[in-house]
Amino acid sequence: MRVVIGLCLLAPFVAMLWVSSYANVDPTFIGIPFFYWYQMLWVLISTALTMTAYKLWQRDQRARKGGASA
């Protein structure tokens, strides 16, 4: 579970630090160069991944707390 949480939190950093993968103008999306809309897309993806990691963390903590008291 914690590996999945770590991957959810690490993915946006890797995607944004690997600049050569998105340092292009084409393809454009509604007139916006790829460089910009790719980064804005990652804002949404990062939000979803962070929320997922948080929910998984809560579930993991509840499972650990429940398992320790039983």
Side-chain angles (χ1 to χ4, degrees):
M1 180 75 70
R2 291 184 180 203
V3 172
V4 174
I5 292 169
L7 290 174
C8 285
L9 296 175
L10 186 65
F13 289 105
V14 172
M16 290 293 94
L17 289 175
W18 187 20
V19 178
S20 64
S21 70
Y22 63 91
N24 301 318
V25 174
D26 292 321
T28 60
F29 177 68
I30 60 171
I32 301 170
F34 180 72
F35 181 79
Y36 294 113
W37 69 258
Y38 179 81
Q39 291 181 31
M40 289 300 108
L41 180 63
W42 269 102
V43 169
L44 299 175
I45 294 170
S46 297
T47 302
L49 288 173
T50 302
M51 185 175 62
T52 301
Y54 177 70
K55 293 296 184 183
L56 290 173
W57 179 259
Q58 284 183 326
R59 184 185 301 170
D60 184 56
Q61 292 304 305
R62 279 194 303 268
R64 288 174 184 270
K65 186 182 253 187
S69 63

